[in-house]
Coordinates of all heavy atoms in Angstrom, one line a residue:
M26 N 0.8 -1.2 0.0 CA 0.0 0.0 0.0 C 0.9 1.2 0.0 O 1.9 1.3 0.7 CB -0.9 0.0 1.2 CG -1.9 1.0 1.2 SD -3.1 0.7 2.6 CE -4.3 1.8 2.2
R27 N 0.6 2.2 -0.8 CA 1.4 3.4 -0.9 C 0.9 4.4 0.1 O -0.2 4.5 0.4 CB 1.3 4.0 -2.3 CG 0.0 4.5 -2.8 CD 0.1 5.0 -4.2 NE -1.2 5.4 -4.7 CZ -1.7 6.6 -4.5 NH1 -1.0 7.5 -3.9 NH2 -2.9 6.9 -4.9
P28 N 1.9 5.2 0.7 CA 1.5 6.2 1.7 C 0.7 7.3 1.0 O 0.8 7.6 -0.2 CB 2.9 6.7 2.2 CG 3.9 6.2 1.2 CD 3.3 5.1 0.5
L29 N 0.0 8.0 1.9 CA -0.8 9.2 1.4 C 0.1 10.3 0.9 O 1.2 10.5 1.5 CB -1.7 9.7 2.5 CG -2.9 8.8 2.9 CD1 -3.6 9.4 4.1 CD2 -3.8 8.7 1.7
G30 N -0.3 11.0 -0.1 CA 0.4 12.1 -0.6 C 1.4 11.6 -1.7 O 1.9 12.5 -2.5
E31 N 1.7 10.4 -1.9 CA 2.6 9.9 -2.9 C 1.8 9.8 -4.2 O 0.7 9.2 -4.3 CB 3.2 8.5 -2.6 CG 4.2 8.0 -3.5 CD 4.8 6.7 -3.1 OE1 5.1 6.6 -1.9 OE2 5.0 5.9 -3.9
P32 N 2.3 10.3 -5.3 CA 1.5 10.3 -6.6 C 1.4 8.9 -7.2 O 2.3 8.1 -7.0 CB 2.3 11.2 -7.5 CG 3.7 11.2 -6.9 CD 3.6 11.0 -5.5
N33 N 0.3 8.7 -7.8 CA 0.0 7.4 -8.5 C 0.7 7.4 -9.8 O 0.6 8.3 -10.6 CB -1.5 7.3 -8.6 CG -1.9 6.0 -9.2 OD1 -1.1 5.1 -9.5 ND2 -3.2 5.8 -9.4
A34 N 1.5 6.4 -10.1 CA 2.2 6.3 -11.4 C 1.3 6.3 -12.6 O 1.6 6.9 -13.6 CB 3.1 5.0 -11.3
Q35 N 0.2 5.6 -12.5 CA -0.7 5.5 -13.6 C -1.3 6.9 -13.9 O -1.5 7.3 -15.1 CB -1.8 4.5 -13.3 CG -2.7 4.2 -14.5 CD -3.7 3.1 -14.3 OE1 -3.8 2.7 -13.1 NE2 -4.3 2.6 -15.3
A36 N -1.7 7.6 -12.9 CA -2.2 9.0 -13.1 C -1.1 9.9 -13.6 O -1.4 10.8 -14.5 CB -2.7 9.5 -11.7
E37 N 0.1 9.7 -13.2 CA 1.2 10.6 -13.7 C 1.4 10.3 -15.2 O 1.6 11.2 -16.0 CB 2.5 10.3 -13.0 CG 2.6 10.9 -11.7 CD 4.0 10.6 -11.0 OE1 4.8 9.9 -11.6 OE2 4.1 11.1 -9.9
D38 N 1.3 9.0 -15.7 CA 1.4 8.7 -17.1 C 0.3 9.4 -17.9 O 0.5 9.9 -19.0 CB 1.4 7.2 -17.3 CG 2.6 6.5 -16.8 OD1 3.6 7.2 -16.6 OD2 2.6 5.3 -16.6
Q39 N -0.9 9.4 -17.4 CA -2.0 10.0 -18.1 C -1.8 11.5 -18.2 O -2.0 12.0 -19.3 CB -3.3 9.7 -17.3 CG -4.6 10.3 -17.9 CD -4.9 9.7 -19.2 OE1 -4.5 8.6 -19.5 NE2 -5.7 10.4 -20.0
V40 N -1.3 12.1 -17.2 CA -1.0 13.6 -17.2 C 0.1 13.9 -18.2 O 0.0 14.8 -19.0 CB -0.7 14.1 -15.8 CG1 -0.2 15.5 -15.9 CG2 -1.9 14.1 -14.9
R41 N 1.1 13.0 -18.2 CA 2.2 13.2 -19.1 C 1.8 13.1 -20.6 O 2.2 13.9 -21.5 CB 3.3 12.2 -18.8 CG 4.6 12.5 -19.5 CD 5.7 11.5 -19.1 NE 5.9 11.5 -17.7 CZ 5.8 10.4 -16.9 NH1 5.4 9.2 -17.4 NH2 6.0 10.4 -15.6
R42 N 0.9 12.1 -20.9 CA 0.4 11.9 -22.2 C -0.4 13.1 -22.7 O -0.4 13.6 -23.8 CB -0.4 10.7 -22.3 CG 0.4 9.4 -22.4 CD -0.5 8.3 -22.7 NE -1.4 8.0 -21.7 CZ -1.5 6.9 -21.0 NH1 -0.7 5.9 -21.2 NH2 -2.4 6.7 -20.0
Q43 N -1.3 13.6 -21.7 CA -2.1 14.8 -22.1 C -1.3 16.0 -22.3 O -1.7 16.8 -23.2 CB -3.1 15.0 -20.9 CG -4.2 14.0 -20.9 CD -5.1 14.2 -19.7 OE1 -4.9 15.0 -18.8 NE2 -6.3 13.5 -19.7
K44 N -0.2 16.2 -21.6 CA 0.7 17.3 -21.9 C 1.4 17.2 -23.2 O 1.6 18.2 -23.9 CB 1.7 17.5 -20.7 CG 1.1 18.0 -19.5 CD 2.1 18.2 -18.4 CE 1.5 18.8 -17.1 NZ 2.6 18.9 -16.1
A45 N 1.8 16.0 -23.5 CA 2.6 15.8 -24.8 C 1.7 15.9 -26.0 O 2.1 16.4 -27.0 CB 3.3 14.5 -24.8
L46 N 0.5 15.4 -25.9 CA -0.4 15.4 -27.1 C -1.7 16.1 -26.6 O -2.5 15.6 -26.0 CB -0.7 14.0 -27.5 CG 0.5 13.2 -27.9 CD1 0.1 11.7 -27.8 CD2 1.0 13.6 -29.2
Q47 N -1.8 17.4 -27.0 CA -3.0 18.2 -26.6 C -3.9 18.4 -27.8 O -3.5 18.4 -28.9 CB -2.5 19.5 -26.1 CG -1.7 19.4 -24.8 CD -1.2 20.7 -24.3 OE1 -1.4 21.7 -24.9 NE2 -0.6 20.7 -23.1
G48 N -5.2 18.5 -27.5 CA -6.2 18.8 -28.5 C -6.4 20.3 -28.6 O -6.3 21.0 -27.6
D49 N -6.8 20.7 -29.8 CA -7.2 22.1 -29.9 C -8.7 22.3 -30.0 O -9.4 21.3 -29.7 CB -6.5 22.7 -31.2 CG -7.1 22.2 -32.5 OD1 -7.8 21.2 -32.4 OD2 -6.8 22.7 -33.5
C50 N -9.2 23.5 -30.2 CA -10.6 23.7 -30.1 C -11.4 23.0 -31.3 O -12.6 22.9 -31.2 CB -10.9 25.2 -30.1 SG -10.4 26.0 -31.6
Y51 N -10.7 22.5 -32.3 CA -11.3 21.9 -33.4 C -11.2 20.3 -33.3 O -11.4 19.6 -34.2 CB -10.7 22.3 -34.7 CG -10.9 23.8 -35.0 CD1 -9.8 24.6 -34.9 CD2 -12.2 24.3 -35.3 CE1 -10.0 26.0 -35.1 CE2 -12.3 25.6 -35.5 CZ -11.2 26.5 -35.4 OH -11.4 27.8 -35.6
R52 N -10.9 19.9 -32.1 CA -10.8 18.4 -31.8 C -9.7 17.8 -32.6 O -9.7 16.6 -32.9 CB -12.1 17.7 -32.0 CG -13.3 18.3 -31.3 CD -13.3 18.2 -29.9 NE -13.5 16.8 -29.5 CZ -13.2 16.2 -28.3 NH1 -12.8 17.0 -27.4 NH2 -13.4 15.0 -28.1
K53 N -8.6 18.5 -32.9 CA -7.5 17.9 -33.6 C -6.3 17.8 -32.6 O -6.2 18.6 -31.7 CB -7.0 18.9 -34.8 CG -8.0 19.0 -35.8 CD -7.6 19.8 -37.0 CE -8.6 20.0 -38.0 NZ -8.2 20.8 -39.1
V54 N -5.5 16.8 -32.8 CA -4.4 16.5 -31.9 C -3.2 17.2 -32.3 O -2.8 17.1 -33.4 CB -4.2 15.0 -31.8 CG1 -3.0 14.7 -30.8 CG2 -5.4 14.2 -31.3
M55 N -2.6 18.0 -31.4 CA -1.4 18.8 -31.7 C -0.2 18.0 -31.1 O -0.4 17.3 -30.1 CB -1.5 20.2 -31.0 CG -2.8 20.9 -31.3 SD -2.8 21.5 -33.0 CE -1.6 22.8 -33.0
H56 N 0.9 18.3 -31.7 CA 2.2 17.7 -31.1 C 3.3 18.6 -31.3 O 3.3 19.5 -32.2 CB 2.5 16.3 -31.7 CG 2.9 16.4 -33.2 ND1 4.2 16.3 -33.5 CD2 2.2 16.6 -34.3 CE1 4.4 16.5 -34.8 NE2 3.1 16.6 -35.3
A57 N 4.4 18.5 -30.5 CA 5.5 19.3 -30.6 C 6.3 18.9 -31.9 O 6.2 17.8 -32.4 CB 6.4 19.2 -29.4
Q58 N 7.1 19.9 -32.4 CA 7.9 19.6 -33.6 C 8.9 18.6 -33.3 O 9.5 18.5 -32.2 CB 8.6 20.9 -34.0 CG 7.6 22.0 -34.5 CD 7.1 21.8 -35.9 OE1 7.4 20.8 -36.5 NE2 6.4 22.8 -36.4
R59 N 9.2 17.7 -34.3 CA 10.3 16.7 -34.1 C 11.6 17.2 -34.6 O 11.6 18.2 -35.5 CB 9.9 15.4 -34.7 CG 9.7 15.5 -36.2 CD 9.2 14.2 -36.8 NE 9.1 14.2 -38.2 CZ 10.1 13.9 -39.0 NH1 11.3 13.6 -38.6 NH2 9.9 14.0 -40.3
G60 N 12.7 16.7 -34.2 CA 14.0 17.0 -34.8 C 14.6 18.3 -34.1 O 15.4 18.9 -34.8
K61 N 14.2 18.5 -32.9 CA 14.8 19.7 -32.2 C 15.5 19.4 -30.9 O 15.7 20.3 -30.1 CB 13.7 20.7 -31.9 CG 13.1 21.4 -33.1 CD 12.2 22.5 -32.7 CE 13.0 23.6 -32.1 NZ 12.3 24.8 -31.8
R62 N 15.8 18.1 -30.7 CA 16.4 17.7 -29.4 C 17.9 18.2 -29.3 O 18.3 18.5 -28.2 CB 16.3 16.2 -29.2 CG 14.9 15.7 -29.1 CD 14.3 16.2 -27.8 NE 12.9 15.7 -27.7 CZ 12.1 16.0 -26.7 NH1 12.5 16.8 -25.8 NH2 10.9 15.5 -26.6
H63 N 18.6 18.1 -30.3 CA 20.0 18.4 -30.3 C 20.5 18.8 -31.7 O 19.8 18.6 -32.7 CB 20.9 17.3 -29.7 CG 20.7 16.0 -30.5 ND1 21.3 15.7 -31.7 CD2 19.9 14.9 -30.3 CE1 20.9 14.5 -32.1 NE2 20.1 14.0 -31.3
G64 N 21.7 19.4 -31.7 CA 22.3 19.7 -33.0 C 21.6 20.9 -33.8 O 21.6 20.9 -35.0
M65 N 21.1 21.8 -33.0 CA 20.4 22.9 -33.7 C 21.3 23.9 -34.3 O 20.9 24.7 -35.2 CB 19.5 23.7 -32.7 CG 18.3 22.9 -32.2 SD 17.2 22.3 -33.6 CE 16.5 23.8 -34.1
I66 N 22.6 23.9 -33.9 CA 23.6 24.8 -34.6 C 23.8 24.4 -36.0 O 24.0 25.3 -36.9 CB 24.9 24.8 -33.8 CG1 24.7 25.4 -32.4 CG2 26.0 25.4 -34.5 CD1 25.9 25.3 -31.5
K67 N 23.7 23.1 -36.3 CA 23.9 22.6 -37.7 C 22.7 22.9 -38.6 O 22.8 22.9 -39.8 CB 24.1 21.1 -37.7 CG 25.2 20.6 -36.9 CD 25.3 19.1 -37.0 CE 25.5 18.6 -35.6 NZ 25.5 17.1 -35.6
R68 N 21.5 23.2 -38.0 CA 20.3 23.5 -38.8 C 20.4 24.8 -39.6 O 21.0 25.8 -39.1 CB 19.1 23.4 -38.0 CG 19.0 22.2 -37.0 CD 18.5 21.0 -37.8 NE 18.1 20.0 -36.8 CZ 18.7 18.8 -36.7 NH1 19.8 18.6 -37.4 NH2 18.3 18.0 -35.8
T69 N 19.7 24.9 -40.7 CA 19.7 26.1 -41.4 C 18.7 27.1 -40.7 O 17.9 26.7 -39.9 CB 19.2 25.9 -42.8 OG1 17.8 25.4 -42.8 CG2 20.0 24.9 -43.6
K70 N 18.8 28.4 -41.0 CA 18.0 29.4 -40.3 C 16.5 29.1 -40.7 O 15.6 29.3 -39.9 CB 18.4 30.8 -40.8 CG 19.8 31.1 -40.4 CD 20.0 31.2 -38.9 CE 21.4 31.5 -38.6 NZ 21.7 31.4 -37.1
K71 N 16.3 28.7 -42.0 CA 14.9 28.5 -42.4 C 14.3 27.3 -41.6 O 13.1 27.3 -41.2 CB 14.9 28.2 -43.9 CG 13.5 27.9 -44.5 CD 13.6 27.6 -46.0 CE 12.2 27.3 -46.5 NZ 12.3 27.0 -47.9
Q72 N 15.1 26.2 -41.4 CA 14.6 25.1 -40.7 C 14.3 25.4 -39.3 O 13.3 25.0 -38.7 CB 15.6 24.0 -40.8 CG 15.1 22.6 -40.3 CD 16.1 21.5 -40.5 OE1 17.3 21.7 -40.9 NE2 15.7 20.3 -40.1
I73 N 15.1 26.2 -38.6 CA 14.9 26.6 -37.3 C 13.6 27.4 -37.2 O 12.8 27.2 -36.2 CB 16.1 27.4 -36.7 CG1 17.3 26.5 -36.5 CG2 15.7 28.1 -35.4 CD1 18.6 27.3 -36.2
R74 N 13.4 28.3 -38.1 CA 12.1 29.1 -38.1 C 10.9 28.2 -38.3 O 9.9 28.3 -37.6 CB 12.1 30.1 -39.2 CG 12.9 31.4 -39.0 CD 12.6 32.4 -40.0 NE 12.6 32.0 -41.4 CZ 13.7 32.0 -42.1 NH1 14.8 32.4 -41.7 NH2 13.6 31.6 -43.4
Q75 N 11.0 27.2 -39.2 CA 9.8 26.4 -39.5 C 9.5 25.4 -38.4 O 8.4 24.8 -38.4 CB 10.1 25.7 -40.8 CG 10.0 26.6 -42.0 CD 10.3 25.9 -43.3 OE1 10.8 24.9 -43.4 NE2 9.9 26.6 -44.4
L76 N 10.5 25.1 -37.6 CA 10.3 24.1 -36.5 C 9.8 24.7 -35.2 O 9.7 24.0 -34.2 CB 11.6 23.3 -36.3 CG 12.0 22.3 -37.4 CD1 13.3 21.7 -37.0 CD2 11.0 21.3 -37.6
R77 N 9.4 25.9 -35.2 CA 8.9 26.5 -34.0 C 7.4 26.1 -33.8 O 6.7 25.8 -34.7 CB 8.9 28.1 -34.1 CG 10.3 28.6 -34.0 CD 10.3 30.1 -34.0 NE 11.6 30.6 -34.1 CZ 12.0 31.7 -34.8 NH1 11.2 32.4 -35.4 NH2 13.3 32.0 -34.8
G78 N 7.0 26.1 -32.5 CA 5.6 25.9 -32.2 C 5.2 24.4 -32.3 O 6.0 23.5 -32.2
T79 N 3.9 24.2 -32.5 CA 3.3 22.9 -32.6 C 2.7 22.7 -33.9 O 2.5 23.6 -34.7 CB 2.3 22.7 -31.5 OG1 1.3 23.7 -31.6 CG2 2.9 22.7 -30.1
R80 N 2.4 21.4 -34.2 CA 1.8 21.1 -35.5 C 0.6 20.2 -35.2 O 0.4 19.6 -34.1 CB 2.7 20.3 -36.4 CG 3.9 21.1 -36.8 CD 4.8 20.4 -37.8 NE 4.0 20.3 -39.0 CZ 4.5 19.7 -40.1 NH1 5.7 19.1 -40.1 NH2 3.8 19.6 -41.2
V81 N -0.3 20.0 -36.2 CA -1.4 19.1 -36.1 C -1.1 17.8 -36.7 O -0.5 17.7 -37.8 CB -2.6 19.7 -36.9 CG1 -3.8 18.8 -36.8 CG2 -3.0 21.1 -36.3
L82 N -1.4 16.7 -36.0 CA -1.2 15.3 -36.5 C -2.1 15.1 -37.7 O -3.2 15.7 -37.8 CB -1.5 14.3 -35.4 CG -0.4 14.0 -34.4 CD1 -0.9 13.0 -33.3 CD2 0.9 13.5 -35.0
F83 N -1.7 14.1 -38.5 CA -2.7 13.6 -39.5 C -3.9 13.1 -38.9 O -3.9 12.6 -37.7 CB -2.0 12.6 -40.4 CG -0.9 13.1 -41.3 CD1 0.4 12.7 -41.1 CD2 -1.2 13.9 -42.3 CE1 1.4 13.2 -41.9 CE2 -0.2 14.4 -43.1 CZ 1.1 14.0 -42.9
K84 N -5.0 13.1 -39.6 CA -6.3 12.8 -39.0 C -6.3 11.3 -38.5 O -6.8 11.1 -37.4 CB -7.4 12.9 -40.1 CG -8.8 12.6 -39.5 CD -9.9 12.8 -40.5 CE -11.3 12.6 -39.9 NZ -11.4 11.7 -38.9
T85 N -5.8 10.4 -39.3 CA -5.8 9.0 -38.8 C -4.9 8.8 -37.6 O -5.3 8.0 -36.7 CB -5.3 8.0 -39.9 OG1 -4.1 8.5 -40.4 CG2 -6.3 8.0 -41.1
D86 N -3.8 9.4 -37.5 CA -2.9 9.3 -36.4 C -3.6 10.0 -35.1 O -3.6 9.4 -34.0 CB -1.6 10.0 -36.6 CG -0.7 9.3 -37.6 OD1 -0.9 8.1 -37.8 OD2 0.1 10.0 -38.3
G87 N -4.3 11.1 -35.4 CA -5.0 11.7 -34.3 C -6.1 10.9 -33.7 O -6.4 10.9 -32.5
D88 N -6.8 10.2 -34.6 CA -7.9 9.3 -34.2 C -7.4 8.2 -33.3 O -8.0 7.8 -32.3 CB -8.6 8.7 -35.4 CG -9.4 9.8 -36.2 OD1 -9.6 10.9 -35.6 OD2 -9.7 9.5 -37.3
N89 N -6.2 7.6 -33.7 CA -5.6 6.6 -32.9 C -5.2 7.1 -31.5 O -5.3 6.4 -30.5 CB -4.4 5.9 -33.6 CG -4.9 5.1 -34.7 OD1 -6.0 4.5 -34.7 ND2 -4.0 4.9 -35.7
I90 N -4.6 8.3 -31.5 CA -4.1 8.9 -30.2 C -5.3 9.1 -29.3 O -5.3 8.8 -28.1 CB -3.4 10.2 -30.5 CG1 -2.1 10.0 -31.2 CG2 -3.2 10.9 -29.2 CD1 -1.1 9.2 -30.4
K91 N -6.4 9.6 -29.9 CA -7.6 9.9 -29.0 C -8.2 8.6 -28.5 O -8.7 8.5 -27.4 CB -8.6 10.7 -29.8 CG -8.3 12.1 -30.0 CD -9.5 12.9 -30.5 CE -9.4 13.0 -32.0 NZ -10.3 13.9 -32.6
K92 N -8.2 7.6 -29.3 CA -8.8 6.3 -29.0 C -8.0 5.6 -27.9 O -8.6 5.1 -26.9 CB -8.9 5.4 -30.2 CG -9.5 4.1 -29.9 CD -9.7 3.3 -31.2 CE -10.3 1.9 -31.0 NZ -10.4 1.2 -32.3
Y93 N -6.7 5.5 -28.0 CA -5.9 4.7 -27.1 C -5.2 5.5 -26.0 O -5.0 5.0 -24.9 CB -4.8 4.0 -27.9 CG -5.4 3.0 -28.8 CD1 -5.3 3.2 -30.2 CD2 -6.0 1.8 -28.4 CE1 -5.8 2.2 -31.1 CE2 -6.6 0.9 -29.2 CZ -6.5 1.1 -30.6 OH -7.0 0.2 -31.4
F94 N -4.8 6.7 -26.2 CA -4.0 7.5 -25.2 C -4.8 8.6 -24.5 O -4.5 8.9 -23.4 CB -2.8 8.1 -25.9 CG -1.8 7.0 -26.4 CD1 -1.7 6.8 -27.7 CD2 -1.1 6.3 -25.5 CE1 -0.8 5.8 -28.2 CE2 -0.2 5.3 -25.9 CZ -0.1 5.1 -27.3
L95 N -5.7 9.2 -25.2 CA -6.5 10.3 -24.6 C -8.0 9.9 -24.6 O -8.7 10.5 -25.4 CB -6.2 11.6 -25.3 CG -4.8 12.0 -25.4 CD1 -4.6 13.2 -26.3 CD2 -4.3 12.4 -24.0
P96 N -8.4 9.0 -23.8 CA -9.8 8.6 -23.9 C -10.8 9.7 -23.6 O -12.0 9.6 -24.0 CB -9.9 7.4 -23.0 CG -8.8 7.6 -22.0 CD -7.7 8.3 -22.7
N97 N -10.4 10.7 -22.8 CA -11.4 11.7 -22.4 C -11.3 12.9 -23.3 O -12.0 13.9 -23.0 CB -11.1 12.1 -20.9 CG -11.3 10.9 -20.0 OD1 -12.2 10.1 -20.2 ND2 -10.5 10.9 -18.9
A98 N -10.4 12.9 -24.3 CA -10.3 14.1 -25.1 C -11.3 14.2 -26.2 O -11.9 13.2 -26.6 CB -8.9 14.1 -25.8

């Protein structure tokens, strides 16, 4: 039995998934840009500009994410 006040691992995973993959007001799943973890000095200025912000997943990928990872979204 876990002591009171200790976070539940399953609940933490759900929160982590919701933060990583968020929905917008049009019920589309957004995700952070990929390819920005390291080596940004090597990237072109145009690529750095275009990789800012978030993007919308493809519809079929978004449907799978909503079905399996974000059941309440």
Side-chain angles (χ1 to χ4, degrees):
M26 188 170 190
R27 63 183 176 88
L29 288 174
E31 185 176 318
N33 184 359
Q35 189 174 11
E37 284 182 359
D38 289 342
Q39 179 69 18
V40 170
R41 193 176 302 119
R42 283 190 294 241
Q43 287 177 348
K44 285 183 180 178
L46 301 164
Q47 298 179 350
D49 67 351
C50 62
Y51 298 108
R52 308 289 292 165
K53 295 181 181 179
V54 178
M55 308 290 287
H56 71 99
Q58 296 278 7
R59 62 186 181 88
K61 290 191 65 173
R62 294 291 182 185
H63 55 81
M65 291 303 290
I66 291 175
K67 298 179 227 177
R68 309 281 194 246
T69 64
K70 300 296 180 188
K71 180 179 179 182
Q72 188 174 6
I73 290 172
R74 280 194 311 272
Q75 289 178 341
L76 290 176
R77 287 184 187 142
T79 57
R80 296 186 67 183
V81 177
L82 280 177
F83 288 113
K84 183 178 183 332
T85 53
D86 293 335
D88 292 343
N89 287 334
I90 293 294
K91 283 191 267 188
K92 181 177 179 182
Y93 294 111
F94 295 107
L95 303 172
N97 298 326

